[in-house]
């Protein structure tokens, strides 16, 4: 809450200089309420020495994603002229989903930048929670979030938050600044460069201008933006390892898989259509698999259904991307290959290894549960959206895009949706940001004993 309050403070001046007094008052409400509530909570818990385990941290993560967007919403409510629309945009930005009601041209400079700042903060929060809370939950599983950077404390999980924020924050800020400078050097407008750098590393898909990227962004700048999205979707612990120790101590299979998919899409477009479409198709594939959802060309070559399905896979586990996460998909494919091998050699002992370690059947069961939870959540979300009056197409498109936190991939005019539909969509965004099962576990521990 205090972070959001401090981030909103300069926007009071920005909105005032823009001549939007109503938006400036909205930022004032955010600053005052964030400082007041956050200060009270900090003062009331500063002397508490009670250890916090995984269940307490789960509750913190759940209530954080549910309540903090409400704090960031007042200026967005003023900009959209609707409470439901403003709250929806706050959830969309902080969960790095990137769905918007007002276009950048209608919203204005301060709100466009505020969305990107919220997405950037939401991406950083996702990294910290992935390496602490979710890593603690994964302790008995495959260990996809395991990293030498952070030792998951059995006694007090909260002690890891500061460590994760400092280490991941350094890489996160460094990559953001590098992307901003590169975009500027390639001739991109400074404001556009800042918005794209903040949104790209957070894999949010927010843009400072409407329309496809090729209308207002050079091909070279598009490539830098795709690289930023890849960095956001790649394991941040591996990036810290590379930056601090000049070596990588764990696999990079998910990064190779994302690059291969992008190259495959480019080759497909070059062979089946025309070589001039290769660049846009390759970037669209990368934007989809990183759950960013940018559209490179006005007339996309790849079908939207394919892009949404690939977005379901997502990037790395400790990343800002949404989706099931690529390491789980790769692990299940490896297990499927082992099962096919056992059909030809029934007496052979089939063992699945991942990141150099054997994976037990119980751990694989947990991965299967994760993989099956997403289609189940997708279907239930579509049903819930349909009950609010959304059409069949919109229900499935919005449910999928919200669940994988890739709003632009929905291809839907969110401004035309009812307040009830927007509310359900925001709930699905939180569910996807918490990776479905963690959200279910958090809801369970709220009503059960530790």
């Amino acid at each position: 809450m205090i972070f959001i309050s401090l981030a909103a403070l300069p926007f009071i001046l920005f909105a005032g200089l823009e001549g939007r007094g109503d938006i400036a008052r909205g930022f004032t409400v955010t600053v005052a309420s964030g400082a007041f509530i956050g200060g009270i909570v900090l003062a009331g818990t500063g002397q508490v020495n009670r250890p916090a385990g995984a269940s307490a941290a789960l509750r913190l993560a759940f209530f954080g994603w549910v309540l903090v967007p409400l704090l960031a919403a007042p200026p967005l409510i003023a900009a959209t002229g609707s409470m439901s629309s403003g709250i929806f945009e706050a959830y969309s930005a902080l969960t790095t989903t990137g769905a918007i009601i007002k276009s950048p041209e209608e919203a204005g400079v301060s709100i466009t930048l505020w969305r990107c700042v919220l997405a950037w903060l939401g991406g950083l929060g996702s990294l910290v929670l992935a390496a602490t809370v979710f890593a603690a939950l994964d302790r008995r599983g495959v260990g996809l979030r395991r990293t030498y950077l952070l030792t998951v404390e059995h006694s007090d999980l909260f002690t890891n938050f500061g460590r994760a924020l400092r280490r991941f924050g350094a890489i996160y800020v460094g990559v953001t600044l590098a992307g901003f400078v590169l975009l500027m050097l390639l001739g991109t407008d400074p404001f556009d460069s800042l918005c794209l750098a903040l949104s790209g590393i957070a894999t949010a898909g927010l843009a400072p201008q409407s329309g496809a990227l090729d209308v207002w962004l050079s091909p070279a700048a598009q490539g830098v933006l795709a690289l930023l999205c890849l960095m956001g979707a790649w394991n941040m612990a591996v990036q810290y390892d590379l930056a601090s120790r000049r070596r990588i101590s764990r696999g990079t299979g998910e990064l190779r898989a994302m690059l291969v998919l992008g190259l495959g899409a480019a080759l497909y477009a070059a062979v089946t259509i025309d070589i001039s479409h290769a660049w846009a198709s390759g970037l669209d594939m990368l934007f989809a698999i990183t759950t960013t959802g940018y559209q490179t060309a006005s007339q996309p070559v790849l079908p939207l259904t394919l892009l949404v399905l690939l977005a379901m896979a997502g990037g790395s586990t400790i990343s800002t991307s949404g989706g099931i996460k690529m390491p789980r998909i790769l692990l299940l494919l490896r297990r499927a290959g082992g099962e096919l091998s056992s059909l030809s050699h029934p007496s052979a002992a089939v063992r699945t290894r991942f990141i150099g370690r054997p994976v037990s059947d119980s751990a694989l069961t947990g991965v299967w549960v994760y993989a099956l939870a997403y289609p189940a959540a997708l279907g239930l979300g579509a049903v819930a959206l349909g009950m609010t009056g959304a059409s069949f197409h919109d229900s499935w498109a919005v449910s999928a895009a919200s669940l994988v936190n890739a709003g632009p991939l929905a291809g839907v005019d969110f401004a035309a949706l009812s307040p009830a539909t927007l509310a359900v969509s925001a709930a699905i965004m939180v569910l996807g940001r918490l990776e479905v099962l963690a959200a279910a576990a958090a809801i369970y521990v709220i009503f059960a004993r530790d």
Side-chain angles (χ1 to χ4, degrees):
M1 291 180 177
I2 293 176
F3 266 107
I4 295 293
S5 176
L6 292 174
L9 187 59
F11 281 87
I12 299 175
L13 177 61
F14 297 161
L17 293 175
E18 197 179 5
R20 294 299 303 271
D22 54 341
I23 296 178
R25 288 189 291 272
F27 281 116
T28 303
V29 171
T30 295
V31 170
S33 56
F36 179 73
I37 301 173
I40 288 179
V41 173
L42 186 62
T45 58
Q47 302 301 318
V48 175
N49 296 317
R50 177 186 173 187
S55 60
L58 262 178
R59 285 193 289 266
L60 174 72
F62 178 78
F63 285 121
W65 286 119
V66 170
L67 299 178
V68 171
L70 300 177
L71 180 67
L76 295 166
I77 293 173
T80 59
S82 166
M83 180 170 292
S84 60
S85 297
I87 292 175
F88 170 82
E89 285 211 359
Y91 277 98
S92 176
L94 271 170
T95 58
T96 72
T97 303
I100 60 174
I101 302 294
K102 289 281 189 179
S103 68
E105 292 78 11
E106 294 175 317
V109 173
S110 59
I111 289 298
T112 299
L113 182 58
W114 178 238
R115 290 169 177 163
C116 297
V117 169
L118 289 178
W120 190 87
L121 291 173
L124 181 58
S126 300
L127 293 173
V128 173
L129 290 176
T132 52
V133 179
F134 294 165
L137 298 178
D138 199 28
R139 196 165 49 228
R140 298 178 182 175
V142 185
L144 297 177
R145 301 183 184 89
R146 189 175 300 158
T147 167
Y148 81 93
L149 296 175
L150 302 162
T151 301
V152 176
E153 302 287 349
H154 294 268
S155 58
D156 192 353
L157 251 175
F158 293 165
T159 59
N160 290 310
F161 283 12
R163 187 184 310 152
L165 182 62
R166 290 191 301 272
R167 291 176 173 176
F168 291 157
I171 299 297
Y172 198 66
V173 171
V175 174
T176 304
L177 290 175
F180 171 69
V181 172
L182 284 174
L183 288 168
M184 286 270 290
L185 291 176
L186 291 172
T188 309
D189 178 81
F191 178 76
D192 292 352
S193 299
L194 178 59
C195 290
L196 290 175
L198 294 171
S199 178
I201 189 65
T203 64
L206 293 166
Q209 296 187 42
S210 301
L213 295 179
D214 63 357
V215 175
W216 53 274
L217 198 63
S218 68
Q222 294 170 26
V224 171
L225 179 59
L227 181 60
L228 271 173
C229 297
L230 275 173
M231 296 295 284
W234 187 25
N235 193 312
M236 195 62 65
V238 176
Q239 295 183 52
Y240 182 87
D241 194 7
L242 182 61
S244 62
R245 304 173 68 182
R246 301 296 187 272
R247 65 184 180 88
I248 296 177
S249 59
R250 58 185 295 170
T252 58
E254 59 268 32
L255 178 62
R256 292 196 300 270
M258 289 187 283
L259 291 173
V260 166
L261 285 171
L263 180 60
L267 291 175
Y268 166 80
V271 172
T272 61
I273 305 175
D274 186 82
I275 195 171
S276 61
H277 292 82
W279 178 254
S281 296
L283 292 189
D284 281 348
M285 180 66 76
L286 291 177
F287 290 141
I289 199 67
T290 58
T291 70
T292 310
Y294 287 116
Q295 182 178 329
T296 307
S298 302
Q299 296 296 327
V301 175
L302 302 176
L304 183 61
T305 304
L306 173 63
L307 297 178
V308 172
L309 287 175
L310 287 171
M312 289 288 289
S316 299
T317 45
I318 304 179
S319 72
T320 61
S321 67
I324 299 171
K325 300 298 187 290
M326 186 69 73
R328 294 192 181 101
I329 302 296
L330 296 175
L331 180 57
L332 293 179
L333 290 175
R334 186 168 297 180
R335 179 61 177 180
E339 291 296 329
L340 292 175
S341 177
S342 67
L343 292 176
S344 58
H345 301 86
S347 60
V350 178
R351 293 185 177 180
T352 304
R353 299 181 66 85
F354 193 76
I355 319 178
R357 299 189 302 270
V359 180
S360 65
D361 289 340
S362 60
L364 278 170
T365 301
V367 176
W368 274 113
V369 171
Y370 258 103
L372 293 174
Y374 272 81
L378 172 63
L380 292 174
V383 171
L385 288 165
M387 294 176 65
T388 65
S391 67
F392 180 83
H393 171 269
D394 288 356
S395 296
W396 284 99
V398 172
S399 179
S402 300
L403 186 63
V404 300
N405 304 120
L409 284 180
V412 172
D413 182 10
F414 285 92
L417 301 179
S418 68
T421 303
L422 295 178
V424 174
S425 175
I428 299 174
M429 292 174 190
V430 174
L431 189 68
R433 192 73 272 176
L434 287 169
E435 298 189 17
V436 182
L437 287 184
I443 293 172
Y444 172 78
V445 298
I446 289 171
F447 297 100
R449 292 180 177 272
D450 288 0

